Amino acid sequence: MASQIITLIGVLMGAITSFFATSWAERARFRQTMATRWDERKLDTYVEYISCVKETSRAAKRMLEAHFEGRDVGGPLAEMEAAEARRSVLFEGLVLLGDEAVSTAAVTVNERLWDLLKSTRDPDSIPAPVRDAMGPAIIDALNNLHRAARADLAIGARVGATGQP
């Protein structure tokens, strides 16, 4: 009878151990699935925001070219304003999904872009050397945003045996 009790206890311990191991593995898999899902969403948001910043910057350049060539600026201005409105909406998603470093870098991008847009709306009020330096300032701010986004997404991080950085 004692051997049957020991066998029963062994079976119960095995079942309990199996239950906890399976539960732990399922929770780990669920967390990994959720992290992957959010990382994909973050990546899409980051790419869309950065693309829109570039689109807005290119529209501003076209507006300046039109202004200094004496052409009608109505079309480029409307394009620039539409791109800026879209960028503003995309920024909200970036702030919601990104970590603090990404949000801070994006705020800097916004500030540099706003400087460019302000000079574009009234190009004669900004000296040419100052206006010309705004493009590289946006590029530097975008590069910082790229670095922050890669860090947030753990791109380039060393991955251990568990698949986690």
Side-chain angles (χ1 to χ4, degrees):
M1 174 114 168
S3 66
Q4 290 175 341
I5 291 175
I6 291 173
T7 303
L8 183 58
I9 289 173
V11 169
L12 286 174
M13 291 298 291
I16 290 170
T17 303
S18 177
F19 171 77
F20 284 118
T22 302
S23 295
W24 178 80
E26 286 298 318
R27 279 191 292 250
R29 185 171 40 224
F30 176 76
R31 283 193 301 271
Q32 179 62 32
T33 300
M34 293 306 290
T36 301
R37 180 178 134 206
W38 285 112
D39 281 351
E40 289 172 359
R41 179 77 170 116
K42 282 181 182 183
L43 178 61
D44 292 344
T45 299
Y46 296 165
V47 168
E48 194 171 3
Y49 172 79
I50 290 168
S51 297
C52 190
V53 167
K54 289 180 175 184
E55 177 185 329
T56 306
S57 179
R58 284 190 299 268
K61 183 179 177 188
R62 284 190 292 276
M63 163 108 175
L64 282 173
E65 289 170 352
H67 172 78
F68 288 116
E69 291 173 1
R71 293 184 282 125
D72 180 34
V73 297
L77 175 63
E79 180 184 349
M80 183 182 79
E81 296 297 341
E84 169 56 12
R86 183 170 166 258
R87 185 223 44 86
S88 179
V89 171
L90 292 172
F91 175 73
E92 297 305 320
L94 185 140
V95 170
L96 287 170
L97 292 173
D99 67 6
E100 187 173 339
V102 169
S103 297
T104 301
V107 165
T108 303
V109 169
N110 288 346
E111 291 169 352
R112 299 302 166 268
L113 186 62
W114 292 334
D115 290 343
L116 177 64
L117 297 181
K118 179 180 176 186
S119 75
T120 301
R121 289 180 184 111
D122 189 12
D124 296 323
S125 68
I126 308 284
V130 172
R131 192 174 51 247
D132 294 342
M134 291 179 186
I138 291 173
I139 292 170
D140 288 342
L142 281 171
N143 288 338
N144 288 333
L145 177 57
H146 290 145
R147 280 190 286 281
R150 280 193 306 270
D152 185 28
L153 296 169
I155 295 173
R158 298 197 77 143
V159 177
T162 62
Q164 295 295 317

